[in-house]
Amino acid sequence: MKLANLVGDRFKERPADCVVDSHALMVRGGYIKYVANGIYSSYMPLKRVTRKIEQIMREEMDAIDGQEVTFPVVMPATLWQESGRYSSIGSEMVRFTDRNDSGLVLGMTHEEAAVQLVKDFAKTYARYPFMIYQIQTKFRDEARPRAGLIRVREFTMKDAYSFHTSQEDLEAYYDRAYKAYDKIYARCGVPEVIAVKSDSGMMGGSVSHEFMLLTPIGEDSIAICDECGYSANMEAAPSIIEVERDEVSNEIEKVATPDQESIEDVCRFLNVPFQKSCKAVVYQKNSDDSYVVIFLRGDLEVNETKVTNFIGDNIHPAVITAESGLCAGYMGPFGLDAKCTVLYDSSLKGANNLVAGGNETGFHYTGLDMERDVKDAEFGDFAKIIDGGICPKCGKKHIHIHRGIEVGNIFQLGTKYTESMNMTYVDEKGESHYPIMGCYGIGVGRLAASICEARHDDYGPIWPITIAPWQVHICALRAHNNPEVKAAADKLYNDLLAKGIEVIYDDRKASNGVMFSDADLLGVPYRVIVSPRNLEENAVEVVTRDKSLQEKVNIDNAADTIAEMVRKAIAEMNNVQ
């Protein structure tokens, strides 16, 4: 490929609307162009990157007996009504009607389509287990697209679905998929991706893992134990709190706290540490707007995912009205008289001498003893795990909270979809059962952007050799007015192509600085500089994008030497155990 013919501009200035580095570099480097909020067109360099990522995914899915299929982007609403998700999923799913007034949806995930595809085929146990997968365009109307390709509305995804006749078989296959994902990330150049336990969310199922690339720009919070290696998404990580009960419980007393509505203000006003306070956080159920009040220790935060899972309904922050019976800013568990669902976090279990709302404007209680004063309280885990908190696995206070980008997920779905869509098979005894499913997804564009986020410097991406848009970038300095440089660069270009090496060739009439700046933005692993000075030594200069190698190579065997470098680097990346 001649760089002079490459569609897309490259430029030095960082776009003002690009918050994260990967977004800025992909815009500057001519990888993507904004079309609409969360929707981008891809130029050739990115298309070459994603095509290689997709090929790695195909190879690893095929290696665990996957069969590639294609599901439709547009599906009938009836398919999603069967599973029950047509009504349970909110506005992120696009619904519309065709000219015959038939309801349709844009695919944001394809569990329903997977069941529909194999439902008639897999009616006997003899046809199990099996896995099908696709690499397909999807659309999810994200409320807040951000960070370029990291959170978009239209995206390409590899999603796979496995079907089994026993939980044991699913678990065995789940482990194979888990290991295949490790290989995919290692071959793509980010072996540091970690798997963390996660919440299944709208996908359903009892066991799930997310694969996270740790980076400060990540949207997800991950709890990691430095002692034993435990890791989990904060949404799924249990919050374990040591409750220190005072030997003597004070009498409960209502005290005036004028204009002190937040728990922070109250604790400062009464000179009480946050750990000795009980705060109230109020939500409303999406289904009927009824109130849900969560009481927890004052220094903790509510984990909305845990609350949603417990009550079986989505929630939103409450708008507290006069007729609700709730006293905004002054709610407490003692003497609360309101029609609402009340949840108590385990951080309050056994706690005493607490400050809590007095359920009267301008008043709080001191000396609250949960065992004495709120005897009927039942406790659960509704709080977010904290930095420095107790590890659920080893029990030590070695939890640290990190940020990360989710670059893949796997779920044990169980029979959620096969049962709702009445997919059955007959076993050896002639008895009918619902198949058990697993599902396994990776966003292609998000993975590419995440790799760029993890592998770049101030000048551009540093693409791993296995997914780089090209393997070699030839910079022919002064080729426009130096016939020797032009001839040597042309020959090297053709010789490398003949050896199956992917080459981008820059022979433009451009300054050295422009050539090298563009080469940095394209991030090709091996840069070969053909210049008058190098040719005086009968050599070309080979420099790796990560600056780990810089050496002169004899021009007569340059093609062989460079081709061997490329093949060796690819082999090392692909040699994943």
Side-chain angles (χ1 to χ4, degrees), residues 360-492:
E360 180 182 352
T361 300
F363 289 89
H364 279 76
Y365 284 111
T366 61
L368 176 70
D369 184 331
M370 294 299 295
E371 291 183 354
R372 179 191 65 201
D373 303 320
V374 195
K375 294 179 180 179
D376 60 346
E378 295 183 4
F379 299 91
D381 179 15
F382 305 112
K384 292 180 179 178
I385 194 170
I386 59 173
D387 196 83
I390 297 172
C391 173
K393 183 177 179 182
C394 70
K396 297 182 179 179
K397 295 182 178 180
H398 283 238
I399 286 291
H400 289 289
I401 307 301
H402 302 263
R403 305 295 292 176
I405 303 171
E406 180 190 341
V407 292
N409 49 55
I410 56 178
F411 302 88
Q412 292 184 25
L413 296 177
T415 60
K416 172 182 171 68
Y417 297 95
T418 55
E419 186 170 355
S420 63
M421 298 179 70
N422 197 32
M423 177 182 175
T424 61
Y425 71 91
V426 176
D427 67 11
E428 308 95 309
K429 301 177 181 178
E431 297 176 354
S432 182
H433 303 275
Y434 298 113
I436 302 171
M437 289 180 65
C439 116
Y440 320 86
I442 299 178
V444 179
R446 176 182 285 194
L447 179 55
S450 300
I451 294 168
C452 180
E453 193 66 42
R455 302 285 182 266
H456 75 272
D457 57 20
D458 291 340
Y459 308 103
I462 304 174
W463 293 113
I465 187 71
T466 48
I467 66 166
W470 294 274
Q471 297 157 345
V472 174
H473 188 136
I474 296 176
C475 293
L477 308 186
R478 295 173 55 188
H480 65 284
N481 62 7
N482 189 313
E484 291 184 3
V485 169
K486 183 73 166 72
D490 283 352
K491 184 178 186 304
L492 180 59

Side-chain angles (χ1 to χ4, degrees), residues 57 294 311 427 449 494:
M57 291 178 181
I294 301 99
I311 66 175
D427 67 11
N494 290 321

Side-chain angles (χ1 to χ4, degrees), residues 505-527:
Y505 176 22
D506 190 355
D507 62 350
R508 296 172 299 167
K509 184 180 179 180
S511 69
N512 297 358
V514 168
M515 280 193 176
F516 294 153
S517 177
D518 284 355
D520 284 339
L521 285 169
L522 290 175
V524 176
Y526 289 92
R527 186 181 310 175

Side-chain angles (χ1 to χ4, degrees), residues 215-287:
T215 168
I217 68 98
E219 288 186 319
D220 290 279
S221 296
I222 302 108
I224 298 176
C225 178
D226 297 336
E227 181 73 19
C228 69
Y230 168 86
S231 60
N233 192 301
M234 184 178 280
E235 292 180 343
S239 172
I240 302 172
I241 300 296
E242 284 183 340
V243 178
E244 297 181 1
R245 183 175 174 84
D246 297 338
E247 290 186 9
V248 177
S249 282
N250 299 328
E251 293 296 321
I252 192 167
E253 179 182 358
K254 184 177 280 190
V255 298
T257 53
D259 301 321
Q260 309 297 316
E261 295 188 0
S262 74
I263 196 67
E264 292 84 2
D265 291 341
V266 172
C267 288
R268 280 191 290 266
F269 183 79
L270 296 176
N271 195 27
V272 172
F274 290 160
Q275 290 86 346
K276 296 300 287 185
S277 66
C278 166
K279 71 178 179 183
V281 182
V282 188
Y283 297 92
Q284 287 175 274
K285 295 181 181 179
N286 285 6
S287 60

Side-chain angles (χ1 to χ4, degrees), residues 306-324:
K306 293 178 181 177
V307 174
T308 296
N309 291 341
F310 183 82
I311 66 175
D313 200 345
N314 291 322
I315 56 176
H316 58 273
V319 177
I320 300 175
T321 60
E323 60 271 16
S324 68

Side-chain angles (χ1 to χ4, degrees), residues 6 198-199 252 477 493 505 564:
L6 185 63
S198 65
D199 179 73
I252 192 167
L477 308 186
Y493 174 56
Y505 176 22
E564 181 58 27

